[in-house]
Amino acid sequence: DKKDITVKQLLTHSSGLIRSRFPKDAGKEGRKSVLRHIFSQPLRYESGTKYAYSCDGFILLGFILERVYGKGLDEIFREQIVKPLGMTRSRYNISINEENTATCYHYPVLTDTPIYDDNLRTCPDIPAGTGEDFCTPHDTRLFVKAILERDERLYPQELFDIAEENHTKDLPRLENYVCFANHGL
């Protein structure tokens, strides 16, 4: 039921995949184990008919990028975003003890890692496309400025046009769905 899901559906959260809780050992076998888990979950709706935020879909997008580029998502992020924009404190798997680390304020209650999402804590060595990179306010400002100014260091102008278009305007949102990090707070 997932073979016809498109990259566009993953990008627009209209694939039918939604966030699922990973088994505690999901990351021990690496990406293949995570993929097996995601693909074992039933679609919540037929692809392309609704939309709902999908962490699992963005994890898949990260894996797709790794396959296309032939390198890890953390390296792609560094080469394609951090370095061109002159960001200095943004990366995956940042240590909680590093100076100026920007983290979720819940982390002391949860764990000794800045990763606040249960699923991503089960896969600490796998950079995920769901936002577990960490940035300082300065680096966030550089990124937002580049988007607002349509800075071609990020991507060509025609991709900004595509990114700014509403691709789900004719689709209903999946009713009664709330995505949360499952952190029990």
Side-chain angles (χ1 to χ4, degrees):
D1 63 341
K2 297 167 190 76
K3 67 180 174 51
D4 294 325
I5 292 174
T6 66
V7 168
K8 182 177 180 179
Q9 289 169 339
L10 293 172
L11 286 165
T12 59
H13 301 285
S14 62
S15 67
L17 294 169
I18 63 164
R19 186 185 193 286
S20 59
R21 187 181 286 269
F22 290 178
K24 290 187 192 283
D25 61 349
K28 289 182 182 170
E29 294 180 45
R31 287 159 177 77
K32 287 184 181 182
S33 176
V34 173
L35 283 170
R36 271 195 307 275
H37 172 75
I38 291 172
F39 287 131
S40 73
Q41 302 304 303
L43 292 178
R44 285 291 295 272
Y45 53 88
E46 183 182 338
S47 299
T49 63
K50 298 178 183 181
Y51 70 94
Y53 180 79
S54 174
C55 297
D56 292 5
F58 264 66
I59 289 170
L60 288 177
L61 284 168
F63 291 166
I64 290 168
L65 284 172
E66 290 181 333
R67 186 88 178 252
V68 168
Y69 281 89
K71 49 183 91 169
L73 188 60
D74 51 346
E75 191 175 346
I76 298 165
F77 176 66
R78 191 172 41 256
E79 290 175 3
Q80 300 291 319
I81 296 174
V82 171
K83 188 175 177 183
L85 296 182
M87 299 165 90
T88 59
R89 298 277 309 142
S90 300
R91 65 179 185 276
Y92 287 91
N93 299 324
I94 198 165
S95 167
I96 197 128
N97 297 320
E98 285 190 49
E99 187 177 343
N100 296 320
T101 301
T103 63
C104 169
Y105 67 92
H106 292 300
Y107 83 83
V109 178
L110 303 168
T111 181
D112 59 354
T113 173
I115 298 173
Y116 63 91
D117 184 288
D118 286 352
N119 281 349
L120 298 179
R121 279 199 307 272
T122 68
C123 310
D125 298 326
I126 301 174
T130 57
E132 286 304 325
D133 55 317
F134 297 92
C135 302
T136 61
H138 174 266
D139 282 2
T140 301
R141 182 183 63 80
L142 291 174
F143 183 72
V144 170
K145 183 176 184 235
I147 291 173
L148 293 174
E149 293 178 356
R150 299 173 136 240
D151 189 329
E152 289 195 12
R153 291 178 295 173
L154 282 178
Y155 38 83
Q157 291 301 314
E158 57 268 13
L159 290 182
F160 280 103
D161 293 338
I162 293 168
E164 292 172 2
E165 183 181 333
N166 182 351
H167 296 273
T168 59
K169 66 179 179 262
D170 297 326
L171 299 179
R173 185 177 191 283
L174 179 63
E175 292 183 33
N176 303 319
Y177 172 69
V178 177
C179 178
F180 57 93
N182 287 337
H183 48 60
L185 297 176

